[in-house]
Amino acid sequence: MTDTLTLRHAETDADVMACFDVMHQLRPQLNSAEDFLARVALQRAQGYRLLGVWENGKAVALAGYRRIDNLIHGRFIYVDDLITDEAGRGHGHGERLLAELGTLGRAEDCQRLVLDTALANALAQRFYFRCGLLARGLHFSMELA
C-alpha cells in the first residue's frame, strides 16, 4: 500500500479532534482534544481555519491561520500555528502548507503572510528564512492576568 498525502482543511469537529495529537506538540497547554475543539470553535468566529497535510487519513502537519485586515499590513494571512508531527519532519510538509497559504492569500488579494515565532526558536527561524519569510520586527506582549 502506498502513502497518500492530501492537503485539506479540518472542517468537521471530528477532523479537528483528529488534529489534536499533532497540535499538542506545538501547544502543550491544550488539556484534551475536547479543549482543543472548544478553542478552535471560538477562533473560527474570528476567521480561523485549520489546514492539514493528511497521510492515509491522519493529520501529519497543520497550519492554523486567518485572513486579517489591519493598518500595518493591509489584508494579510496570519499564521497562528504551524507544526509538523515530530515523526514526519523533513518531508516538506511545512513548506507545502506555507505554499498553499500563499496561494490562498493571493486568491483573497492579501499583500503578505505574517507569523510570529519565539526569539529563541532558531530552528524555526532558519526554516522560515529558507521558505522566503523575512524578519521585519519584534513582537512585544505583556501578561494581563
Side-chain angles (χ1 to χ4, degrees):
M1 184 166 116
T2 60
D3 292 341
T4 304
L5 289 175
T6 58
L7 193 63
R8 68 174 175 85
H9 285 94
E11 299 287 359
T12 67
D13 289 355
D15 284 345
V16 171
M17 290 181 72
C19 296
F20 173 73
D21 288 339
V22 175
M23 186 62 76
H24 192 251
Q25 293 173 44
L26 179 66
R27 308 289 182 221
Q29 72 274 17
L30 295 169
N31 296 317
S32 65
E34 293 77 16
D35 178 36
F36 176 49
L37 178 62
R39 291 176 186 228
V40 168
L42 285 172
Q43 289 179 208
R44 278 183 173 156
Q46 301 166 359
Y48 182 86
R49 298 198 69 197
L50 189 57
L51 180 65
V53 175
W54 301 79
E55 185 173 14
N56 296 323
K58 181 181 178 197
V60 296
L62 301 168
Y65 71 97
R66 62 190 88 214
R67 189 193 56 81
I68 300 175
D69 294 273
N70 71 18
L71 296 176
I72 297 169
H73 301 296
R75 177 171 286 186
F76 67 103
I77 295 290
Y78 182 77
V79 182
D80 292 80
D81 315 292
L82 184 65
I83 181 70
T84 296
D85 182 71
E86 189 172 39
R89 293 183 185 154
H91 293 94
H93 301 322
E95 293 96 329
R96 187 173 181 190
L97 287 166
L98 286 174
E100 181 64 15
L101 292 177
T103 298
L104 292 169
R106 283 187 289 280
E108 293 196 37
D109 296 321
C110 292
Q111 282 78 46
R112 63 182 44 101
L113 182 144
V114 176
L115 59 78
D116 293 319
T117 193
L119 290 172
N121 196 348
L123 290 176
Q125 292 167 28
R126 215 168 64 199
F127 168 75
Y128 298 138
F129 282 122
R130 277 195 330 264
C131 290
L133 284 85
L134 301 175
R136 296 182 186 251
L138 292 174
H139 181 93
F140 290 88
S141 67
M142 175 191 310
E143 298 299 322
L144 298 177

